[in-house]
PDB file of all heavy atoms in Angstrom:
ATOM      1  N   HIS Y1327     177.257 -81.989  45.908  1.00  0.00           N
ATOM      2  CA  HIS Y1327     175.908 -82.211  45.224  1.00  0.00           C
ATOM      3  C   HIS Y1327     176.234 -82.801  43.843  1.00  0.00           C
ATOM      4  O   HIS Y1327     175.285 -83.049  43.084  1.00  0.00           O
ATOM      5  CB  HIS Y1327     175.193 -80.859  45.187  1.00  0.00           C
ATOM      6  CG  HIS Y1327     175.766 -79.847  44.347  1.00  0.00           C
ATOM      7  ND1 HIS Y1327     176.749 -79.025  44.765  1.00  0.00           N
ATOM      8  CD2 HIS Y1327     175.559 -79.514  43.013  1.00  0.00           C
ATOM      9  CE1 HIS Y1327     177.107 -78.200  43.765  1.00  0.00           C
ATOM     10  NE2 HIS Y1327     176.466 -78.585  42.757  1.00  0.00           N
ATOM     11  N   ASP Y1328     177.538 -82.887  43.445  1.00  0.00           N
ATOM     12  CA  ASP Y1328     177.856 -83.198  42.067  1.00  0.00           C
ATOM     13  C   ASP Y1328     178.744 -84.472  41.951  1.00  0.00           C
ATOM     14  O   ASP Y1328     179.287 -84.667  40.943  1.00  0.00           O
ATOM     15  CB  ASP Y1328     178.706 -82.009  41.612  1.00  0.00           C
ATOM     16  CG  ASP Y1328     178.581 -81.705  40.072  1.00  0.00           C
ATOM     17  OD1 ASP Y1328     177.649 -82.152  39.544  1.00  0.00           O
ATOM     18  OD2 ASP Y1328     179.516 -81.173  39.507  1.00  0.00           O
ATOM     19  N   ARG Y1329     178.574 -85.268  43.012  1.00  0.00           N
ATOM     20  CA  ARG Y1329     179.452 -86.534  43.098  1.00  0.00           C
ATOM     21  C   ARG Y1329     179.311 -87.357  41.778  1.00  0.00           C
ATOM     22  O   ARG Y1329     180.181 -87.975  41.300  1.00  0.00           O
ATOM     23  CB  ARG Y1329     179.182 -87.266  44.265  1.00  0.00           C
ATOM     24  CG  ARG Y1329     179.966 -88.595  44.428  1.00  0.00           C
ATOM     25  CD  ARG Y1329     181.257 -88.572  44.968  1.00  0.00           C
ATOM     26  NE  ARG Y1329     181.261 -88.007  46.456  1.00  0.00           N
ATOM     27  CZ  ARG Y1329     182.111 -87.210  46.886  1.00  0.00           C
ATOM     28  NH1 ARG Y1329     183.081 -86.940  46.196  1.00  0.00           N
ATOM     29  NH2 ARG Y1329     182.016 -86.736  48.080  1.00  0.00           N
ATOM     30  N   GLN Y1330     177.954 -87.574  41.393  1.00  0.00           N
ATOM     31  CA  GLN Y1330     177.698 -88.542  40.303  1.00  0.00           C
ATOM     32  C   GLN Y1330     178.432 -88.144  39.016  1.00  0.00           C
ATOM     33  O   GLN Y1330     178.584 -88.993  38.067  1.00  0.00           O
ATOM     34  CB  GLN Y1330     176.259 -88.661  40.163  1.00  0.00           C
ATOM     35  CG  GLN Y1330     175.474 -87.444  39.469  1.00  0.00           C
ATOM     36  CD  GLN Y1330     175.221 -86.301  40.443  1.00  0.00           C
ATOM     37  OE1 GLN Y1330     175.622 -86.426  41.602  1.00  0.00           O
ATOM     38  NE2 GLN Y1330     174.492 -85.320  40.055  1.00  0.00           N
ATOM     39  N   ARG Y1331     178.863 -86.905  38.852  1.00  0.00           N
ATOM     40  CA  ARG Y1331     179.425 -86.444  37.684  1.00  0.00           C
ATOM     41  C   ARG Y1331     181.008 -86.617  37.690  1.00  0.00           C
ATOM     42  O   ARG Y1331     181.722 -86.368  36.751  1.00  0.00           O
ATOM     43  CB  ARG Y1331     179.195 -84.894  37.466  1.00  0.00           C
ATOM     44  CG  ARG Y1331     177.697 -84.767  37.198  1.00  0.00           C
ATOM     45  CD  ARG Y1331     177.508 -83.270  36.762  1.00  0.00           C
ATOM     46  NE  ARG Y1331     178.091 -82.910  35.468  1.00  0.00           N
ATOM     47  CZ  ARG Y1331     177.789 -81.741  34.896  1.00  0.00           C
ATOM     48  NH1 ARG Y1331     176.969 -80.934  35.410  1.00  0.00           N
ATOM     49  NH2 ARG Y1331     178.436 -81.505  33.680  1.00  0.00           N
ATOM     50  N   HIS Y1332     181.538 -86.943  38.899  1.00  0.00           N
ATOM     51  CA  HIS Y1332     182.948 -87.010  38.950  1.00  0.00           C
ATOM     52  C   HIS Y1332     183.521 -88.402  38.543  1.00  0.00           C
ATOM     53  O   HIS Y1332     183.606 -89.372  39.259  1.00  0.00           O
ATOM     54  CB  HIS Y1332     183.322 -86.862  40.501  1.00  0.00           C
ATOM     55  CG  HIS Y1332     183.102 -85.480  40.918  1.00  0.00           C
ATOM     56  ND1 HIS Y1332     183.328 -85.087  42.340  1.00  0.00           N
ATOM     57  CD2 HIS Y1332     182.705 -84.363  40.262  1.00  0.00           C
ATOM     58  CE1 HIS Y1332     182.967 -83.870  42.404  1.00  0.00           C
ATOM     59  NE2 HIS Y1332     182.809 -83.371  41.221  1.00  0.00           N
ATOM     60  N   ARG Y1333     183.645 -88.499  37.259  1.00  0.00           N
ATOM     61  CA  ARG Y1333     184.066 -89.796  36.590  1.00  0.00           C
ATOM     62  C   ARG Y1333     185.556 -89.832  36.280  1.00  0.00           C
ATOM     63  O   ARG Y1333     186.045 -90.714  35.696  1.00  0.00           O
ATOM     64  CB  ARG Y1333     183.228 -89.916  35.335  1.00  0.00           C
ATOM     65  CG  ARG Y1333     181.853 -90.109  35.423  1.00  0.00           C
ATOM     66  CD  ARG Y1333     181.037 -90.336  34.177  1.00  0.00           C
ATOM     67  NE  ARG Y1333     181.113 -89.132  33.323  1.00  0.00           N
ATOM     68  CZ  ARG Y1333     180.306 -88.083  33.423  1.00  0.00           C
ATOM     69  NH1 ARG Y1333     179.297 -88.091  34.320  1.00  0.00           N
ATOM     70  NH2 ARG Y1333     180.517 -87.084  32.575  1.00  0.00           N
ATOM     71  N   GLY Y1334     186.253 -88.738  36.645  1.00  0.00           N
ATOM     72  CA  GLY Y1334     187.715 -88.663  36.577  1.00  0.00           C
ATOM     73  C   GLY Y1334     188.335 -88.052  35.319  1.00  0.00           C
ATOM     74  O   GLY Y1334     189.506 -87.939  35.289  1.00  0.00           O
ATOM     75  N   GLU Y1335     187.473 -87.604  34.416  1.00  0.00           N
ATOM     76  CA  GLU Y1335     188.115 -86.993  33.223  1.00  0.00           C
ATOM     77  C   GLU Y1335     188.181 -85.510  33.294  1.00  0.00           C
ATOM     78  O   GLU Y1335     187.280 -84.831  33.978  1.00  0.00           O
ATOM     79  CB  GLU Y1335     187.231 -87.404  31.929  1.00  0.00           C
ATOM     80  CG  GLU Y1335     185.911 -86.793  31.811  1.00  0.00           C
ATOM     81  CD  GLU Y1335     184.819 -87.451  32.499  1.00  0.00           C
ATOM     82  OE1 GLU Y1335     185.028 -88.338  33.339  1.00  0.00           O
ATOM     83  OE2 GLU Y1335     183.624 -87.097  32.127  1.00  0.00           O
ATOM     84  N   SER Y1336     188.999 -84.864  32.448  1.00  0.00           N
ATOM     85  CA  SER Y1336     189.133 -83.553  32.027  1.00  0.00           C
ATOM     86  C   SER Y1336     188.500 -83.255  30.738  1.00  0.00           C
ATOM     87  O   SER Y1336     188.705 -84.049  29.769  1.00  0.00           O
ATOM     88  CB  SER Y1336     190.575 -83.076  32.191  1.00  0.00           C
ATOM     89  OG  SER Y1336     191.159 -83.223  33.447  1.00  0.00           O
ATOM     90  N   LEU Y1337     187.917 -82.065  30.546  1.00  0.00           N
ATOM     91  CA  LEU Y1337     187.376 -81.663  29.350  1.00  0.00           C
ATOM     92  C   LEU Y1337     188.449 -81.432  28.320  1.00  0.00           C
ATOM     93  O   LEU Y1337     189.627 -80.945  28.623  1.00  0.00           O
ATOM     94  CB  LEU Y1337     186.418 -80.554  29.424  1.00  0.00           C
ATOM     95  CG  LEU Y1337     184.973 -80.828  29.884  1.00  0.00           C
ATOM     96  CD1 LEU Y1337     184.937 -81.198  31.277  1.00  0.00           C
ATOM     97  CD2 LEU Y1337     184.147 -79.542  29.656  1.00  0.00           C
ATOM     98  N   LEU Y1338     188.214 -81.802  27.050  1.00  0.00           N
ATOM     99  CA  LEU Y1338     189.203 -81.543  26.005  1.00  0.00           C
ATOM    100  C   LEU Y1338     189.473 -80.015  25.883  1.00  0.00           C
ATOM    101  O   LEU Y1338     188.587 -79.221  25.975  1.00  0.00           O
ATOM    102  CB  LEU Y1338     188.727 -82.058  24.767  1.00  0.00           C
ATOM    103  CG  LEU Y1338     188.514 -83.669  24.616  1.00  0.00           C
ATOM    104  CD1 LEU Y1338     187.929 -83.989  23.288  1.00  0.00           C
ATOM    105  CD2 LEU Y1338     189.886 -84.295  24.773  1.00  0.00           C
ATOM    106  N   PHE Y1339     190.691 -79.644  25.672  1.00  0.00           N
ATOM    107  CA  PHE Y1339     191.031 -78.285  25.467  1.00  0.00           C
ATOM    108  C   PHE Y1339     190.238 -77.584  24.380  1.00  0.00           C
ATOM    109  O   PHE Y1339     189.732 -76.466  24.581  1.00  0.00           O
ATOM    110  CB  PHE Y1339     192.594 -78.180  25.027  1.00  0.00           C
ATOM    111  CG  PHE Y1339     192.956 -76.723  24.876  1.00  0.00           C
ATOM    112  CD1 PHE Y1339     193.261 -75.865  25.934  1.00  0.00           C
ATOM    113  CD2 PHE Y1339     193.187 -76.218  23.631  1.00  0.00           C
ATOM    114  CE1 PHE Y1339     193.686 -74.535  25.786  1.00  0.00           C
ATOM    115  CE2 PHE Y1339     193.627 -74.962  23.395  1.00  0.00           C
ATOM    116  CZ  PHE Y1339     193.863 -74.061  24.439  1.00  0.00           C
ATOM    117  N   ALA Y1340     189.941 -78.283  23.266  1.00  0.00           N
ATOM    118  CA  ALA Y1340     189.143 -77.671  22.233  1.00  0.00           C
ATOM    119  C   ALA Y1340     187.603 -77.339  22.603  1.00  0.00           C
ATOM    120  O   ALA Y1340     187.118 -76.290  22.305  1.00  0.00           O
ATOM    121  CB  ALA Y1340     188.976 -78.597  21.028  1.00  0.00           C
ATOM    122  N   ASP Y1341     187.098 -78.236  23.524  1.00  0.00           N
ATOM    123  CA  ASP Y1341     185.790 -78.028  23.984  1.00  0.00           C
ATOM    124  C   ASP Y1341     185.764 -76.819  25.076  1.00  0.00           C
ATOM    125  O   ASP Y1341     184.803 -75.987  25.159  1.00  0.00           O
ATOM    126  CB  ASP Y1341     185.254 -79.284  24.736  1.00  0.00           C
ATOM    127  CG  ASP Y1341     184.987 -80.396  23.700  1.00  0.00           C
ATOM    128  OD1 ASP Y1341     184.699 -80.141  22.573  1.00  0.00           O
ATOM    129  OD2 ASP Y1341     185.095 -81.566  24.127  1.00  0.00           O
ATOM    130  N   VAL Y1342     186.871 -76.668  25.883  1.00  0.00           N
ATOM    131  CA  VAL Y1342     186.953 -75.695  26.784  1.00  0.00           C
ATOM    132  C   VAL Y1342     187.077 -74.309  25.983  1.00  0.00           C
ATOM    133  O   VAL Y1342     186.362 -73.376  26.398  1.00  0.00           O
ATOM    134  CB  VAL Y1342     188.212 -75.803  27.605  1.00  0.00           C
ATOM    135  CG1 VAL Y1342     188.440 -74.555  28.519  1.00  0.00           C
ATOM    136  CG2 VAL Y1342     188.070 -77.002  28.584  1.00  0.00           C
ATOM    137  N   VAL Y1343     187.751 -74.247  24.983  1.00  0.00           N
ATOM    138  CA  VAL Y1343     187.942 -72.989  24.120  1.00  0.00           C
ATOM    139  C   VAL Y1343     186.604 -72.711  23.494  1.00  0.00           C
ATOM    140  O   VAL Y1343     186.226 -71.456  23.475  1.00  0.00           O
ATOM    141  CB  VAL Y1343     189.027 -73.221  23.089  1.00  0.00           C
ATOM    142  CG1 VAL Y1343     188.923 -72.099  22.090  1.00  0.00           C
ATOM    143  CG2 VAL Y1343     190.373 -73.374  23.690  1.00  0.00           C
ATOM    144  N   LYS Y1344     185.855 -73.620  23.075  1.00  0.00           N
ATOM    145  CA  LYS Y1344     184.549 -73.414  22.493  1.00  0.00           C
ATOM    146  C   LYS Y1344     183.588 -72.790  23.532  1.00  0.00           C
ATOM    147  O   LYS Y1344     182.867 -71.832  23.176  1.00  0.00           O
ATOM    148  CB  LYS Y1344     183.887 -74.721  21.958  1.00  0.00           C
ATOM    149  CG  LYS Y1344     182.575 -74.575  21.300  1.00  0.00           C
ATOM    150  CD  LYS Y1344     182.042 -75.959  20.858  1.00  0.00           C
ATOM    151  CE  LYS Y1344     180.646 -75.722  20.101  1.00  0.00           C
ATOM    152  NZ  LYS Y1344     180.161 -77.140  19.665  1.00  0.00           N
ATOM    153  N   ASP Y1345     183.716 -73.256  24.812  1.00  0.00           N
ATOM    154  CA  ASP Y1345     182.926 -72.733  25.874  1.00  0.00           C
ATOM    155  C   ASP Y1345     183.378 -71.224  26.180  1.00  0.00           C
ATOM    156  O   ASP Y1345     182.568 -70.460  26.377  1.00  0.00           O
ATOM    157  CB  ASP Y1345     183.030 -73.691  27.109  1.00  0.00           C
ATOM    158  CG  ASP Y1345     181.917 -73.448  28.059  1.00  0.00           C
ATOM    159  OD1 ASP Y1345     181.234 -72.475  27.996  1.00  0.00           O
ATOM    160  OD2 ASP Y1345     181.770 -74.238  28.977  1.00  0.00           O
ATOM    161  N   LEU Y1346     184.649 -71.068  26.239  1.00  0.00           N
ATOM    162  CA  LEU Y1346     185.175 -69.754  26.416  1.00  0.00           C
ATOM    163  C   LEU Y1346     184.681 -68.701  25.475  1.00  0.00           C
ATOM    164  O   LEU Y1346     184.305 -67.630  25.737  1.00  0.00           O
ATOM    165  CB  LEU Y1346     186.707 -69.767  26.465  1.00  0.00           C
ATOM    166  CG  LEU Y1346     187.365 -70.361  27.702  1.00  0.00           C
ATOM    167  CD1 LEU Y1346     188.889 -70.547  27.405  1.00  0.00           C
ATOM    168  CD2 LEU Y1346     187.191 -69.567  28.964  1.00  0.00           C
ATOM    169  N   LYS Y1347     184.728 -69.113  24.132  1.00  0.00           N
ATOM    170  CA  LYS Y1347     184.279 -68.357  23.146  1.00  0.00           C
ATOM    171  C   LYS Y1347     182.738 -67.899  23.236  1.00  0.00           C
ATOM    172  O   LYS Y1347     182.253 -66.791  23.024  1.00  0.00           O
ATOM    173  CB  LYS Y1347     184.533 -68.965  21.739  1.00  0.00           C
ATOM    174  CG  LYS Y1347     185.957 -68.980  21.347  1.00  0.00           C
ATOM    175  CD  LYS Y1347     186.157 -69.644  20.058  1.00  0.00           C
ATOM    176  CE  LYS Y1347     187.634 -69.575  19.641  1.00  0.00           C
ATOM    177  NZ  LYS Y1347     187.967 -70.329  18.305  1.00  0.00           N
ATOM    178  N   SER Y1348     181.909 -68.877  23.744  1.00  0.00           N
ATOM    179  CA  SER Y1348     180.455 -68.657  23.872  1.00  0.00           C
ATOM    180  C   SER Y1348     180.246 -67.567  24.899  1.00  0.00           C
ATOM    181  O   SER Y1348     179.362 -66.833  24.744  1.00  0.00           O
ATOM    182  CB  SER Y1348     179.814 -69.954  24.198  1.00  0.00           C
ATOM    183  OG  SER Y1348     180.071 -70.285  25.537  1.00  0.00           O
ATOM    184  N   GLY Y1349     181.118 -67.571  25.949  1.00  0.00           N
ATOM    185  CA  GLY Y1349     180.995 -66.554  26.937  1.00  0.00           C
ATOM    186  C   GLY Y1349     181.243 -65.210  26.404  1.00  0.00           C
ATOM    187  O   GLY Y1349     180.548 -64.177  26.726  1.00  0.00           O
ATOM    188  N   ARG Y1350     182.282 -65.094  25.553  1.00  0.00           N
ATOM    189  CA  ARG Y1350     182.669 -63.785  24.981  1.00  0.00           C
ATOM    190  C   ARG Y1350     181.584 -63.356  24.067  1.00  0.00           C
ATOM    191  O   ARG Y1350     181.194 -62.145  23.939  1.00  0.00           O
ATOM    192  CB  ARG Y1350     184.026 -63.912  24.222  1.00  0.00           C
ATOM    193  CG  ARG Y1350     185.194 -63.988  25.187  1.00  0.00           C
ATOM    194  CD  ARG Y1350     185.458 -62.777  25.957  1.00  0.00           C
ATOM    195  NE  ARG Y1350     185.823 -61.710  25.130  1.00  0.00           N
ATOM    196  CZ  ARG Y1350     185.081 -60.567  24.957  1.00  0.00           C
ATOM    197  NH1 ARG Y1350     184.008 -60.285  25.640  1.00  0.00           N
ATOM    198  NH2 ARG Y1350     185.510 -59.605  24.069  1.00  0.00           N
ATOM    199  N   GLU Y1351     180.930 -64.284  23.351  1.00  0.00           N
ATOM    200  CA  GLU Y1351     179.831 -63.917  22.478  1.00  0.00           C
ATOM    201  C   GLU Y1351     178.630 -63.356  23.222  1.00  0.00           C
ATOM    202  O   GLU Y1351     177.826 -62.556  22.678  1.00  0.00           O
ATOM    203  CB  GLU Y1351     179.419 -65.164  21.664  1.00  0.00           C
ATOM    204  CG  GLU Y1351     180.404 -65.502  20.607  1.00  0.00           C
ATOM    205  CD  GLU Y1351     180.189 -66.941  20.019  1.00  0.00           C
ATOM    206  OE1 GLU Y1351     179.119 -67.562  20.407  1.00  0.00           O
ATOM    207  OE2 GLU Y1351     181.037 -67.422  19.228  1.00  0.00           O
ATOM    208  N   ARG Y1352     178.620 -63.770  24.490  1.00  0.00           N
ATOM    209  CA  ARG Y1352     177.533 -63.159  25.343  1.00  0.00           C
ATOM    210  C   ARG Y1352     177.787 -61.890  25.962  1.00  0.00           C
ATOM    211  O   ARG Y1352     177.011 -61.297  26.777  1.00  0.00           O
ATOM    212  CB  ARG Y1352     177.150 -64.190  26.501  1.00  0.00           C
ATOM    213  CG  ARG Y1352     176.414 -65.425  26.054  1.00  0.00           C
ATOM    214  CD  ARG Y1352     175.761 -66.083  27.301  1.00  0.00           C
ATOM    215  NE  ARG Y1352     176.636 -66.373  28.360  1.00  0.00           N
ATOM    216  CZ  ARG Y1352     176.538 -65.878  29.553  1.00  0.00           C
ATOM    217  NH1 ARG Y1352     175.680 -64.956  29.895  1.00  0.00           N
ATOM    218  NH2 ARG Y1352     177.413 -66.231  30.594  1.00  0.00           N
ATOM    219  N   GLY Y1353     179.010 -61.358  25.700  1.00  0.00           N
ATOM    220  CA  GLY Y1353     179.504 -60.092  26.174  1.00  0.00           C
ATOM    221  C   GLY Y1353     180.084 -60.203  27.506  1.00  0.00           C
ATOM    222  O   GLY Y1353     180.218 -59.140  28.195  1.00  0.00           O
ATOM    223  N   CYS Y1354     180.539 -61.354  27.999  1.00  0.00           N
ATOM    224  CA  CYS Y1354     181.232 -61.558  29.280  1.00  0.00           C
ATOM    225  C   CYS Y1354     182.680 -61.199  29.186  1.00  0.00           C
ATOM    226  O   CYS Y1354     183.414 -61.588  28.243  1.00  0.00           O
ATOM    227  CB  CYS Y1354     181.079 -62.911  29.827  1.00  0.00           C
ATOM    228  SG  CYS Y1354     179.237 -63.464  30.197  1.00  0.00           S
ATOM    229  N   PHE Y1355     183.219 -60.452  30.193  1.00  0.00           N
ATOM    230  CA  PHE Y1355     184.563 -60.126  30.231  1.00  0.00           C
ATOM    231  C   PHE Y1355     185.083 -60.783  31.482  1.00  0.00           C
ATOM    232  O   PHE Y1355     186.417 -60.601  31.844  1.00  0.00           O
ATOM    233  CB  PHE Y1355     184.791 -58.644  30.358  1.00  0.00           C
ATOM    234  CG  PHE Y1355     184.504 -57.987  29.053  1.00  0.00           C
ATOM    235  CD1 PHE Y1355     183.332 -57.398  28.787  1.00  0.00           C
ATOM    236  CD2 PHE Y1355     185.493 -57.936  27.997  1.00  0.00           C
ATOM    237  CE1 PHE Y1355     183.002 -56.729  27.543  1.00  0.00           C
ATOM    238  CE2 PHE Y1355     185.233 -57.229  26.902  1.00  0.00           C
ATOM    239  CZ  PHE Y1355     183.961 -56.691  26.613  1.00  0.00           C
ATOM    240  N   ARG Y1356     184.418 -61.554  32.286  1.00  0.00           N
ATOM    241  CA  ARG Y1356     184.842 -62.198  33.468  1.00  0.00           C
ATOM    242  C   ARG Y1356     184.480 -63.748  33.355  1.00  0.00           C
ATOM    243  O   ARG Y1356     183.425 -63.982  33.066  1.00  0.00           O
ATOM    244  CB  ARG Y1356     184.161 -61.617  34.709  1.00  0.00           C
ATOM    245  CG  ARG Y1356     184.627 -62.193  35.887  1.00  0.00           C
ATOM    246  CD  ARG Y1356     183.994 -61.567  37.221  1.00  0.00           C
ATOM    247  NE  ARG Y1356     184.543 -62.047  38.419  1.00  0.00           N
ATOM    248  CZ  ARG Y1356     184.973 -61.192  39.425  1.00  0.00           C
ATOM    249  NH1 ARG Y1356     184.986 -59.881  39.221  1.00  0.00           N
ATOM    250  NH2 ARG Y1356     185.513 -61.678  40.552  1.00  0.00           N
ATOM    251  N   VAL Y1357     185.494 -64.578  33.572  1.00  0.00           N
ATOM    252  CA  VAL Y1357     185.204 -65.979  33.426  1.00  0.00           C
ATOM    253  C   VAL Y1357     185.657 -66.684  34.756  1.00  0.00           C
ATOM    254  O   VAL Y1357     186.705 -66.225  35.408  1.00  0.00           O
ATOM    255  CB  VAL Y1357     186.039 -66.681  32.297  1.00  0.00           C
ATOM    256  CG1 VAL Y1357     187.441 -66.525  32.476  1.00  0.00           C
ATOM    257  CG2 VAL Y1357     185.704 -68.053  32.108  1.00  0.00           C
ATOM    258  N   VAL Y1358     184.816 -67.594  35.126  1.00  0.00           N
ATOM    259  CA  VAL Y1358     185.076 -68.419  36.379  1.00  0.00           C
ATOM    260  C   VAL Y1358     185.313 -69.825  35.936  1.00  0.00           C
ATOM    261  O   VAL Y1358     184.476 -70.489  35.307  1.00  0.00           O
ATOM    262  CB  VAL Y1358     183.930 -68.339  37.318  1.00  0.00           C
ATOM    263  CG1 VAL Y1358     184.245 -69.111  38.633  1.00  0.00           C
ATOM    264  CG2 VAL Y1358     183.523 -66.973  37.646  1.00  0.00           C
ATOM    265  N   LEU Y1359     186.546 -70.289  36.208  1.00  0.00           N
ATOM    266  CA  LEU Y1359     186.918 -71.737  35.878  1.00  0.00           C
ATOM    267  C   LEU Y1359     186.683 -72.680  37.135  1.00  0.00           C
ATOM    268  O   LEU Y1359     187.152 -72.322  38.243  1.00  0.00           O
ATOM    269  CB  LEU Y1359     188.433 -71.710  35.553  1.00  0.00           C
ATOM    270  CG  LEU Y1359     188.884 -70.782  34.407  1.00  0.00           C
ATOM    271  CD1 LEU Y1359     190.322 -70.879  34.202  1.00  0.00           C
ATOM    272  CD2 LEU Y1359     188.067 -71.072  33.094  1.00  0.00           C
ATOM    273  N   SER Y1360     185.923 -73.644  36.893  1.00  0.00           N
ATOM    274  CA  SER Y1360     185.450 -74.530  38.039  1.00  0.00           C
ATOM    275  C   SER Y1360     185.581 -75.942  37.602  1.00  0.00           C
ATOM    276  O   SER Y1360     186.083 -76.304  36.530  1.00  0.00           O
ATOM    277  CB  SER Y1360     184.132 -74.118  38.477  1.00  0.00           C
ATOM    278  OG  SER Y1360     183.126 -74.470  37.538  1.00  0.00           O
ATOM    279  N   GLY Y1361     185.126 -76.872  38.359  1.00  0.00           N
ATOM    280  CA  GLY Y1361     185.195 -78.327  38.176  1.00  0.00           C
ATOM    281  C   GLY Y1361     183.876 -78.968  38.631  1.00  0.00           C
ATOM    282  O   GLY Y1361     182.973 -78.270  38.585  1.00  0.00           O
ATOM    283  N   GLY Y1362     183.938 -80.162  39.309  1.00  0.00           N
ATOM    284  CA  GLY Y1362     185.073 -80.793  39.747  1.00  0.00           C
ATOM    285  C   GLY Y1362     186.108 -79.889  40.439  1.00  0.00           C
ATOM    286  O   GLY Y1362     185.918 -78.812  41.016  1.00  0.00           O
ATOM    287  N   GLU Y1363     187.363 -80.366  40.349  1.00  0.00           N
ATOM    288  CA  GLU Y1363     188.503 -79.601  40.876  1.00  0.00           C
ATOM    289  C   GLU Y1363     189.265 -79.091  39.608  1.00  0.00           C
ATOM    290  O   GLU Y1363     189.965 -79.916  39.050  1.00  0.00           O
ATOM    291  CB  GLU Y1363     189.327 -80.398  41.762  1.00  0.00           C
ATOM    292  CG  GLU Y1363     190.671 -79.732  42.220  1.00  0.00           C
ATOM    293  CD  GLU Y1363     190.404 -78.388  42.820  1.00  0.00           C
ATOM    294  OE1 GLU Y1363     189.562 -78.062  43.526  1.00  0.00           O
ATOM    295  OE2 GLU Y1363     191.178 -77.494  42.351  1.00  0.00           O
ATOM    296  N   PRO Y1364     189.285 -77.797  39.261  1.00  0.00           N
ATOM    297  CA  PRO Y1364     189.826 -77.374  38.010  1.00  0.00           C
ATOM    298  C   PRO Y1364     191.436 -77.457  37.986  1.00  0.00           C
ATOM    299  O   PRO Y1364     191.975 -77.535  36.866  1.00  0.00           O
ATOM    300  CB  PRO Y1364     189.389 -75.882  37.946  1.00  0.00           C
ATOM    301  CG  PRO Y1364     189.037 -75.518  39.305  1.00  0.00           C
ATOM    302  CD  PRO Y1364     188.650 -76.720  39.965  1.00  0.00           C
ATOM    303  N   THR Y1365     192.010 -77.497  39.189  1.00  0.00           N
ATOM    304  CA  THR Y1365     193.540 -77.536  39.240  1.00  0.00           C
ATOM    305  C   THR Y1365     193.990 -78.865  38.638  1.00  0.00           C
ATOM    306  O   THR Y1365     195.174 -79.093  38.436  1.00  0.00           O
ATOM    307  CB  THR Y1365     194.081 -77.224  40.571  1.00  0.00           C
ATOM    308  OG1 THR Y1365     193.549 -78.211  41.519  1.00  0.00           O
ATOM    309  CG2 THR Y1365     193.669 -75.814  40.999  1.00  0.00           C
ATOM    310  N   LEU Y1366     193.094 -79.867  38.590  1.00  0.00           N
ATOM    311  CA  LEU Y1366     193.463 -81.171  38.112  1.00  0.00           C
ATOM    312  C   LEU Y1366     193.703 -81.279  36.567  1.00  0.00           C
ATOM    313  O   LEU Y1366     194.100 -82.250  36.022  1.00  0.00           O
ATOM    314  CB  LEU Y1366     192.517 -82.282  38.628  1.00  0.00           C
ATOM    315  CG  LEU Y1366     192.358 -82.412  40.077  1.00  0.00           C
ATOM    316  CD1 LEU Y1366     191.458 -83.555  40.509  1.00  0.00           C
ATOM    317  CD2 LEU Y1366     193.702 -82.717  40.732  1.00  0.00           C
TER     318      LEU Y1366
END
């Protein structure tokens, strides 16, 4: 359902860290890493 977003790029490490921090600010202790295909 997400094909149109598959443009081939990976998010910048700094942007990922910013997102991770926002989850901790919401009180989350569990994070789910996804994509696309996150192993890429």
Side-chain angles (χ1 to χ4, degrees):
H1327 67 278
D1328 211 21
R1329 174 89 59 217
Q1330 72 280 4
R1331 297 184 67 169
H1332 292 173
R1333 297 181 295 272
E1335 74 271 15
S1336 296
L1337 275 69
L1338 295 174
F1339 179 76
D1341 291 335
V1342 173
V1343 171
K1344 184 178 178 180
D1345 200 346
L1346 288 169
K1347 287 180 177 178
S1348 72
R1350 289 293 293 115
E1351 289 167 3
R1352 289 199 305 115
C1354 296
F1355 289 97
R1356 182 177 187 129
V1357 65
V1358 183
L1359 306 177
S1360 67
E1363 173 50 47
T1365 60
L1366 299 181

